[in-house]
Amino acid sequence: NSPWGTDTFLYCSPMVSGPRNLRLPDLDLREARRTAAAAANARLMSNSSAEFASKDVLKRSRSRSMGGEQDRKLLGDHSNDSSSLLLGEAILKRRTPSGLSLMDLTDEVGMANDIENGDDNHEGYGATTGAVYTEMSKEAEETKTLTASQSCSITDLNPSPPPPPPTKTKKVDSEKTLVQGLKEEFESQSNPPIFSLLYAIVNLFIVLPVMFSFGSIIYHDEFFRPYMPVLMKLTVCSGVVHQLTFSTLSSLPFAVGQVQDAGLIFLSAMAKDVVSRLKSTGADDESILATVTIGLSIYTAVLGCALVLVGKFRLASYCQMLPSSVVGGYLAFIGFFCGQAGLALMAKLDVTGLAQWYKFLDIDALMLLAPGVIGGCTIYFSVRTFRHMAVLPSCIIMLLVVFYSILWATGTSVQEATENGWITESVEPPSWYHTWDYLKIDKVVWSVLPSQTLTVLAMISVVGLSSSLDIAAIETELKRPLDYNHELKTVGISNFISGMTGGYTGSYIFSNTIFSLRMGIRSRLMGYIIAFLSAVTVVIPINILSYIPTFFFGSLLMMICLDLMFEWLIDVREKVTSAEYVIVLSTFALLLTLG
């Protein structure tokens, strides 16, 4: 073998048929071998005597004449030059870019072959010709397939055209393929409408009370208490919008999407800060309500646009770059915040931090807190122990049954319970079409809204990451890959529409979504029924809050508090390293201290 490639034999005989794909540039290898043969010959000649050289010349001339006779016997006496007969003079004189032609392959090539084969006789061209025919005979006997570097046919002596470029296939849109595949698969697995109705009612019993609780968190400032019936309806309307959007656009027909806890802390902080700023300027209640409601809607729409862009440009992986340990500390703090809001709601106190928890030590406050704390702990440990989706709605119903049973047993009326602080006192709600009356653009104090820019940016990153975690949880249960960019785009569109209609941030409620998946729901009808029944609670001319005790919402908030804090402060210890657990605790402590 030469340093430039594979050892090469040139077969120039009609016996070698078929394309061999030898290109003229391959002949440069022979030129290199010719040079090597000349050098080897020079070394041999310098080491031999003049007598040996003269004998070698005679032997070479005899061999050449014998080779010519063999050629004529095998190929026919058509010409004294068998090479010219086979190839033609024009082809033999054709030169490669390096200046080499077939005519140059004379005795030195034969000497090179002899040297490589260990033959010191150097029998010249005749020996080379004999070797060629020997090799051709072996090929005919063994039917051995010759490689491109071993042989050629006449047509192969022209430079072969370069191989055609690979066909450029149109890039397949992986997002559309994956999403469309999921949709087609689920569409082929339909379920009876009665099942959709049944599980829509079950999900409604879970999400609707939670929506009311979330509304009380967003507007937990004392200023909003008289306006809670309308603000609650705005929260429920936002849940309707989210559910309709997810049921229409999501790749999952069993998706449940509502106002979610991840953005609540930001919305609540911004609402409280705007109220504080406007009160300091002497703004009236109408301007404060308009600025807060429209401001929160704008922030939600901005969040939606940001998530749509993330999904559009396929940047979902960047939303997941925040360490999960940091997110765990934040989610634990959300749990604490929900618990604190629930306690403040039940005790009818304004408590914003640990420094104000001493207010809960009042006797009257403790009496109002006790049922909610006991109810929340009962719900949490029941759900954690039995792990069945029917446990939570059963507990919710039991709270109401126990409350009204006690009222009946003690002979206490609803009005008396309201006066004693067990039920929130509120004004009669307006008709459903007056739900958006607080959103008066001409009353908005626009100069206050830019002050929340940093909070909005933080909300975008946290809600984006939290939504990614929800998608990951659903993906794990589904055991099928989901397109994070498409799902984040769906979350973004839902938030944009919610913001444009006066609503708040939302995302997948992964627990209800997984429940519907396990129950075999494969129809989008379930989501539409949830949205319709939620809208009915907005349309009916009854103030539902006038009949629901405050500890009912407090119990749900305490359940959420225990769930998040146990998961991210206790259970997570076995799932992360010691360093990551320290980060979880540090994040929680910093948020608890600095807010």
Side-chain angles (χ1 to χ4, degrees):
N1 294 332
S2 68
W4 297 275
T6 308
D7 189 17
T8 306
F9 289 94
L10 181 66
Y11 297 101
C12 302
S13 168
M15 295 178 62
V16 183
S17 60
R20 304 297 183 184
N21 298 325
L22 179 67
R23 300 179 180 86
L24 279 181
D26 295 337
L27 296 176
D28 292 344
L29 298 176
R30 290 188 174 276
E31 184 176 25
R33 292 178 58 189
R34 177 189 173 196
T35 303
N41 187 40
R43 287 194 299 273
L44 286 173
M45 295 298 292
S46 62
N47 294 331
S48 63
S49 61
E51 180 181 0
F52 178 83
S54 62
K55 290 181 180 180
D56 184 72
V57 171
L58 292 175
K59 187 185 296 184
R60 285 164 60 85
S61 56
R62 284 197 304 269
S63 177
R64 182 175 292 124
S65 62
M66 290 174 62
E69 292 176 359
Q70 290 177 352
D71 289 345
R72 283 189 295 273
K73 288 179 182 179
L74 288 173
L75 302 176
D77 191 11
H78 299 287
S79 172
N80 292 333
D81 192 348
S82 61
S83 297
S84 299
L85 171 66
L86 292 174
L87 303 178
E89 184 177 357
I91 294 177
L92 289 172
K93 291 183 177 180
R94 181 175 297 166
R95 294 184 177 276
T96 67
S98 63
L100 180 67
S101 71
L102 294 179
M103 294 292 291
D104 296 328
L105 302 177
T106 56
D107 298 342
E108 289 78 7
V109 176
M111 293 175 65
N113 287 335
D114 294 339
I115 293 171
E116 291 180 357
N117 293 327
D119 186 359
D120 293 334
N121 293 328
H122 308 294
E123 293 179 350
Y125 181 76
T128 305
T129 306
V132 169
Y133 288 116
T134 302
E135 291 291 328
M136 291 196 308
S137 300
K138 290 180 180 179
E139 180 190 23
E141 294 173 359
E142 301 174 3
T143 63
K144 179 180 178 181
T145 304
L146 301 178
T147 61
S149 62
Q150 289 177 321
S151 61
C152 70
S153 65
I154 294 177
T155 56
D156 296 324
L157 293 174
N158 289 323
S160 301
T167 306
K168 293 183 179 180
T169 57
K170 186 177 180 181
K171 184 179 180 181
V172 180
D173 191 338
S174 59
E175 174 186 330
K176 291 183 179 179
T177 302
L178 184 58
V179 173
Q180 189 62 31
L182 284 173
K183 288 183 177 180
E184 291 175 357
E185 177 182 344
F186 291 132
E187 285 174 0
S188 64
Q189 304 173 4
S190 182
N191 53 265
I194 187 64
F195 285 100
S196 297
L197 175 62
L198 175 63
Y199 289 107
I201 295 174
V202 173
N203 278 299
L204 184 68
F205 270 105
I206 298 173
V207 300
L208 192 59
V210 174
M211 289 305 102
F212 284 119
S213 301
F214 285 169
S216 65
I217 291 178
I218 296 173
Y219 297 107
H220 80 283
D221 190 273
E222 189 66 27
F223 169 81
F224 300 108
R225 198 170 295 278
Y227 311 104
M228 287 305 292
V230 175
L231 297 176
M232 287 291 190
K233 286 193 173 185
L234 275 176
T235 308
V236 176
C237 286
S238 178
V240 171
V241 170
H242 283 300
Q243 186 60 60
L244 288 174
T245 306
F246 281 103
S247 295
T248 303
L249 300 180
S250 175
S251 61
L252 308 173
F254 44 82
V256 177
Q258 297 285 329
V259 176
Q260 200 205 33
D261 53 3
L264 293 183
I265 187 171
F266 296 100
L267 296 177
S268 177
M270 289 187 288
K272 185 176 182 62
D273 187 64
V274 170
V275 170
S276 176
R277 290 173 182 269
L278 291 179
K279 279 185 175 180
S280 64
T281 61
D284 58 2
D285 290 1
E286 196 174 20
S287 297
I288 294 176
L289 283 170
T291 305
V292 171
T293 53
I294 292 180
L296 296 184
S297 301
I298 292 175
Y299 301 146
T300 301
V302 171
L303 165 69
C305 291
L307 294 182
V308 169
L309 291 177
V310 168
K312 180 69 175 177
F313 293 103
R314 310 191 66 78
L315 303 174
S317 58
Y318 292 97
C319 288
Q320 304 170 31
M321 293 180 66
L322 193 63
S324 59
S325 52
V326 175
V327 179
Y330 168 74
L331 292 176
F333 179 71
I334 288 181
F336 168 82
F337 185 82
C338 289
Q340 178 179 267
L343 295 176
L345 175 65
M346 291 185 289
K348 294 180 172 54
L349 297 172
D350 185 17
V351 177
T352 58
L354 285 175
Q356 298 178 337
W357 273 50
Y358 68 90
K359 297 180 181 180
F360 295 138
L361 300 179
D362 182 75
I363 298 298
D364 293 334
L366 289 175
M367 289 183 60
L368 295 173
L369 292 177
V373 173
I374 294 173
C377 293
T378 302
I379 295 175
Y380 172 72
F381 287 106
S382 298
V383 171
R384 188 181 178 92
T385 301
F386 298 104
R387 295 188 179 278
H388 193 280
M389 207 64 180
V391 175
L392 180 57
S394 299
C395 291
I396 290 174
I397 294 175
M398 285 301 299
L399 288 176
L400 296 176
V401 171
V402 170
F403 174 72
Y404 278 100
S405 297
I406 294 175
L407 291 185
W408 175 78
T410 58
T412 305
S413 65
V414 174
Q415 182 62 34
E416 291 174 341
T418 302
E419 293 174 356
N420 293 330
W422 295 107
I423 298 176
T424 301
E425 185 177 357
S426 57
V427 298
E428 286 299 319
S431 301
W432 68 270
Y433 48 84
H434 292 296
T435 302
W436 293 271
D437 284 354
Y438 296 156
L439 283 75
K440 298 178 179 179
I441 297 180
D442 57 323
K443 295 291 184 177
V444 176
V445 182
W446 298 102
S447 59
V448 177
L449 299 183
S451 62
Q452 310 301 317
T453 302
L454 293 179
T455 307
V456 172
L457 293 176
M459 180 175 68
I460 291 173
S461 12
V462 170
V463 171
L465 179 59
S466 176
S467 298
S468 297
L469 294 176
D470 294 336
I471 297 168
I474 299 170
E475 182 183 58
T476 302
E477 180 67 26
L478 184 61
K479 297 179 177 61
R480 287 283 303 275
L482 295 176
D483 191 295
Y484 281 67
N485 292 290
H486 172 80
E487 303 305 333
L488 277 182
K489 191 158 51 175
T490 300
V491 174
I493 294 173
S494 182
N495 278 276
F496 176 77
I497 298 175
S498 175
M500 296 302 294
T501 54
Y504 315 109
T505 63
S507 183
Y508 284 99
I509 307 299
F510 74 88
S511 57
N512 295 79
T513 302
I514 291 175
F515 164 70
S516 302
L517 168 64
R518 291 176 177 175
M519 295 300 104
I521 299 299
R522 298 296 184 269
S523 172
R524 299 181 186 274
L525 179 61
M526 184 200 71
Y528 293 131
I529 294 176
I530 294 175
F532 172 75
L533 295 178
S534 299
V536 169
T537 63
V538 176
V539 175
I540 57 176
I542 300 175
N543 184 9
I544 299 178
L545 297 181
S546 299
Y547 300 93
I548 299 179
T550 53
F551 76 81
F552 173 82
F553 301 111
S555 297
L556 294 176
L557 292 174
M558 286 300 301
M559 184 267 294
I560 296 172
C561 168
L562 294 173
D563 183 41
L564 291 175
M565 294 188 70
F566 263 89
E567 180 179 359
W568 292 103
L569 294 181
I570 298 177
D571 295 341
V572 75
R573 179 65 187 90
E574 300 177 355
K575 303 176 183 178
V576 298
T577 63
S578 299
E580 290 174 330
Y581 187 62
V582 169
I583 294 176
V584 172
L585 296 179
S586 301
T587 304
F588 175 73
L590 287 173
L591 290 172
L592 201 61
T593 305
L594 304 177

